[in-house]
């Protein structure tokens, strides 16, 4: 287990891909229009980390795709504090207008900040966002929330996260979304993973999340090649 990120850099971190290697993995990537919708987690909000570029995960993924398609169009619509319902109200129309071929959809974190979350309503709202995003014809990506993300004022916080993560896993399977399952990723054990707000991954964690998305997209491309070979 790696106890801290302070002794690591982006180049030495075993959970990070180099920019060159990430570009190699996505060398066959067809995506030329990347969009991100949702909340601050979708936006890539986070504090700097020594030894890591001060970039959020979606900007990192965009940089990798630009290695393949220099003219990549990239639109990050995610808003700090956005609930799933707010995402539908303020972002979906702009997403459709943009015409993406790759879209990251949110994980419902802000829907949990209430005394008694209605998981049936959360599932329905997230389902609608997935449906609308998939309706653009784009490939979807998403991630589960990590276990390092804790809100002490809610004693049942871990159970809340587990329940919303189960919803996300189900929707990802239903819509063929690339899923970066961050709940039990080893990076959660790093004591300096989180930003000062104790919610958002700092830059070191953002780099790991970007790597997981890139790896997921690479697996998707490999599966498509294998399927073509069998046809």
């Amino acid at each position: 287990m790696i106890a801290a990120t302070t002794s690591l850099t982006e180049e030495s971190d075993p959970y990070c891909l180099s920019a060159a290697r990430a570009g190699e993995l996505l060398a066959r990537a067809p995506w030329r229009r990347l969009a991100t919708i949702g909340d601050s987690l979708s936006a890539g909000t986070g504090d700097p980390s020594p030894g890591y570029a001060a970039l959020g995960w979606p900007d990192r993924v965009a940089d990798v795709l630009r290695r393949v398609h220099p003219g990549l169009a990239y639109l990050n619509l995610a808003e700090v504090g956005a609930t799933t319902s707010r995402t539908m109200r303020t972002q979906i129309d702009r997403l459709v207008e943009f015409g993406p071929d790759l879209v990251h959809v949110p994980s419902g974190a802000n829907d949990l900040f209430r005394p008694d979350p209605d998981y049936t309503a959360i599932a329905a709202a997230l389902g609608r966002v997935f449906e609308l995003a998939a309706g653009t014809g784009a490939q979807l990506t998403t991630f589960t929330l990590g276990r390092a993300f804790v809100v002490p004022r809610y004693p049942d916080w871990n159970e809340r996260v587990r329940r919303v993560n189960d919803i996300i896993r189900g929707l990802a399977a239903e819509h063929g979304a690339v899923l970066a399952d961050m709940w039990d990723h080893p990076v959660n054990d790093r004591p300096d993973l989180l930003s000062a707000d104790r919610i958002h991954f700092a830059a070191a964690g953002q780099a790991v999340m970007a790597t997981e998305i890139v790896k997921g997209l690479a697996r998707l491309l490999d599966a498509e090649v294998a399927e073509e070979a069998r046809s």
Side-chain angles (χ1 to χ4, degrees), residues 41-124:
L41 302 183
S42 292
T45 300
D47 292 347
S49 297
Y52 293 78
L55 290 171
W57 74 264
D59 291 348
R60 291 170 176 275
V61 172
D63 284 349
V64 173
L65 289 172
R66 285 193 186 100
R67 285 176 164 261
V68 183
H69 300 295
L72 176 81
Y74 168 46
L75 180 64
N76 192 332
L77 292 169
E79 304 170 85
V80 174
T83 59
T84 303
S85 60
R86 177 173 155 192
T87 296
M88 284 190 285
R89 289 196 311 272
T90 66
Q91 300 173 31
I92 293 297
D93 287 348
R94 287 182 289 166
L95 176 72
V96 172
E97 181 181 1
F98 177 66
D101 55 15
L102 182 63
V103 177
H104 183 84
V105 291
S107 307
N110 287 323
D111 299 330
L112 302 178
F113 287 91
R114 58 193 65 189
D116 187 19
D118 182 340
Y119 295 99
T120 299
I122 290 172

Side-chain angles (χ1 to χ4, degrees), residues 3 14 20 24 27 53 59 89 94 111 113 117 133 136 149 157 203 215 220:
E24 290 172 2
D59 291 348
R89 289 196 311 272
R94 287 182 289 166
D111 299 330
F113 287 91
T136 66
F149 173 28
W157 182 256
K215 286 181 176 179
L220 177 67

